[in-house]
Amino acid sequence: MLPQLIFLGAPGSGKGTQAALLVKSLGYIHVSTGDLLRAEILKGTDLGIRVSKLLSAGALVDDLTVLELLKSNCDTVSRSYIFDGFPRNVDQARLLDELLAPSKSSSMAVYFKIDLADLKNRIINRRSCPACGEIYNLMFKLPASENICSKCGHNGLVHRKDDQVSVVEKRLDIFKENIASLVFYYEQKKALFEIDASSSSDSVFESLTNIF
Ligand code: ADP
């Protein structure tokens, strides 16, 4: 069984893009807590209604709510996942360790290192396909036809509400508050791999596959 992969990195550091590539090449299951929360909001569930304002403001949802959502969407005993967006702090890292304890495979954390100054532009220019989740960027990854998803043909790419400048700044601040202690946590467990996430997505993918 493939190791459980825990992706750490700032918003916009390319975790989702690389996860999609690993799903295709190695058969991982990608689980993004942000995507799960947005799906709850779209479905209009009680949970979705409760967290909607937090997401729009770029604030964190409480740890246990996100954990429960993760639990109900994963079979961590017998499947290998890429955890994207969880953990976001050391308390969540401990919760994830407990969740993964019965898993048949080991786990490792990959930190997507990137200069935060470059990120704001990357995020503001990010667009995604609401049908298949493919991620585009107006700066360096345009779809072949304007506003049409090259992967599934859906017409109408979306700009996430929380990808607006002021909210992006808030999300980056929360990331800065937590990343050092998270990196330290996985370093101590000897389970941390760092990759340079500032280069093209092909070369980031190469560094990522070199870890295996
Ligand atoms: P990004 O990492 O690009 O900021 P995500 O899609 O991972 O975006 O998350 C979007 C939002 O969902 C976060 O700003 C936060 O409100 C909420 N969220 C996602 N994961 C978590 C988590 N592990 N704990 C708390 N809130 C979360």
Side-chain angles (χ1 to χ4, degrees):
M1 207 172 135
L2 292 161
Q4 307 286 354
L5 286 185
I6 299 156
F7 278 8
L8 306 175
S13 58
K15 304 183 300 287
T17 301
Q18 296 300 324
L21 294 171
L22 280 185
V23 167
K24 230 199 267 171
S25 61
L26 295 177
Y28 267 103
I29 304 172
H30 175 208
V31 58
S32 150
T33 45
D35 287 349
L36 293 179
L37 290 163
R38 282 185 288 276
E40 293 292 314
I41 295 172
L42 268 179
K43 283 187 277 180
T45 62
D46 287 347
L47 191 156
I49 293 167
R50 194 152 48 82
V51 302
S52 166
K53 279 213 179 92
L54 290 169
L55 264 83
S56 307
L60 290 189
V61 173
D62 71 279
D63 298 344
L64 293 180
T65 299
V66 188
L67 178 74
E68 285 310 313
L69 195 58
L70 204 54
K71 274 188 184 163
S72 55
N73 281 279
C74 299
D75 162 18
T76 44
V77 177
S78 47
R79 312 292 301 267
S80 295
Y81 289 87
I82 297 171
F83 295 94
D84 168 4
F86 194 97
R88 271 178 147 82
N89 54 42
V90 170
D91 287 341
Q92 292 188 1
R94 293 201 182 97
L95 292 170
L96 184 59
D97 276 351
E98 283 168 29
L99 181 68
L100 291 178
S103 167
K104 295 193 182 91
S105 67
S106 59
S107 41
M108 57 199 226
V110 182
Y111 176 29
F112 287 65
K113 249 187 142 174
I114 189 164
D115 184 350
L116 297 188
D118 298 340
L119 279 182
K120 226 192 293 173
N121 275 335
R122 258 204 201 190
I123 305 172
I124 294 162
N125 287 295
R126 177 160 68 181
R127 300 290 182 273
S128 59
C129 173
C132 73
E134 184 74 352
I135 303 164
Y136 297 91
N137 195 290
L138 302 183
M139 284 159 66
F140 51 82
K141 190 192 168 196
L142 282 163
S145 318
E146 198 181 332
N147 219 25
I148 295 183
C149 178
S150 310
K151 191 172 164 200
C152 76
H154 180 86
N155 187 350
L157 302 178
V158 294
H159 187 197
R160 268 169 50 180
K161 247 203 218 154
D162 61 347
D163 277 350
Q164 326 283 337
V165 188
S166 60
V167 185
V168 168
E169 282 166 355
K170 162 95 179 154
R171 284 159 57 208
L172 286 172
D173 283 347
I174 295 178
F175 170 78
K176 283 188 247 172
E177 275 166 32
N178 291 303
I179 189 61
S181 52
L182 266 177
V183 163
F184 183 67
Y185 181 86
Y186 287 107
E187 246 168 17
Q188 294 240 303
K189 288 167 66 86
K190 307 244 180 299
L192 184 77
F193 295 83
E194 289 192 354
I195 54 175
D196 173 9
S198 61
S199 45
S200 71
S201 83
D202 284 350
S203 54
V204 176
F205 185 61
E206 203 183 312
S207 330
L208 196 55
T209 44
N210 281 340
I211 292 176
F212 291 92

